[in-house]
Amino acid sequence: MAFFKRVQKKVNDLWYPQSVTWGKAVTTREVADELSVLSTVTRGDTYAVMENLGRVLSNFMGQGRTVKINGVGTFYYTATSTKRGVSTAAEVSASLINGVRVRFLPEVERNSGRQVITRSMVNTKIVWEEWGKTATSGGNTDSGNTGGDGSIEGDPLG
């Protein structure tokens, strides 16, 4: 079950549903446990592979490549620059880059008309409940990590 709360935006004073995350983040160990149950790989082997996944992705993306993981999506780097821009192409150099972000595009499946029909990481059977209105949330309307896109603050993907 997924949760949302009602939020009024200051820009237009209109109300919108905003997703809410709750509790501690799921750990690598918990994910490894679930993966080992779904496969023939031991929990320890799964954990070891997952622990090294970030390093492997970083190495490939550092070579200027995108990384596509079937059933998950595509990861790639984008650069942020120190200025809004420069007047001529000759002035553009790597020294203008002051940061790197990891971008992620979830895998999608398209029909013959190129319309998205499924997203691998989006559960098609999500049941949305208002935060604080169910017994599951413990009646607490103020706890939980929230973000405009439902992400946890400090998202490493930027």
Side-chain angles (χ1 to χ4, degrees), residues 57-100:
L57 295 179
S58 173
N59 287 341
F60 282 124
M61 290 184 294
Q63 297 169 16
R65 300 179 67 188
T66 60
V67 178
K68 182 182 183 308
I69 300 176
N70 291 339
V72 177
T74 303
F75 297 84
Y76 62 98
Y77 282 158
T78 59
T80 58
S81 62
T82 56
K83 298 182 180 180
R84 290 181 177 228
V86 290
S87 301
T88 65
E91 295 176 83
V92 176
S93 70
S95 66
L96 295 176
I97 297 172
N98 70 345
V100 177

Side-chain angles (χ1 to χ4, degrees), residues 107-119:
E107 184 177 85
V108 297
E109 185 179 325
R110 297 180 186 275
N111 63 16
S112 59
R114 303 286 300 147
Q115 293 175 317
V116 174
I117 55 174
T118 60
R119 296 182 194 277

Side-chain angles (χ1 to χ4, degrees), residues 21-80:
T21 60
W22 62 274
K24 292 182 179 179
V26 175
T27 66
T28 303
R29 193 168 301 275
E30 290 173 289
V31 173
D33 285 343
E34 286 290 314
L35 287 171
S36 68
V37 168
L38 296 172
S39 67
T40 60
V41 181
T42 67
R43 176 179 160 257
D45 288 343
T46 304
Y47 185 81
V49 169
M50 291 183 65
E51 279 289 303
N52 290 300
L53 181 61
R55 184 176 309 132
V56 170
L57 295 179
S58 173
N59 287 341
F60 282 124
M61 290 184 294
Q63 297 169 16
R65 300 179 67 188
T66 60
V67 178
K68 182 182 183 308
I69 300 176
N70 291 339
V72 177
T74 303
F75 297 84
Y76 62 98
Y77 282 158
T78 59
T80 58

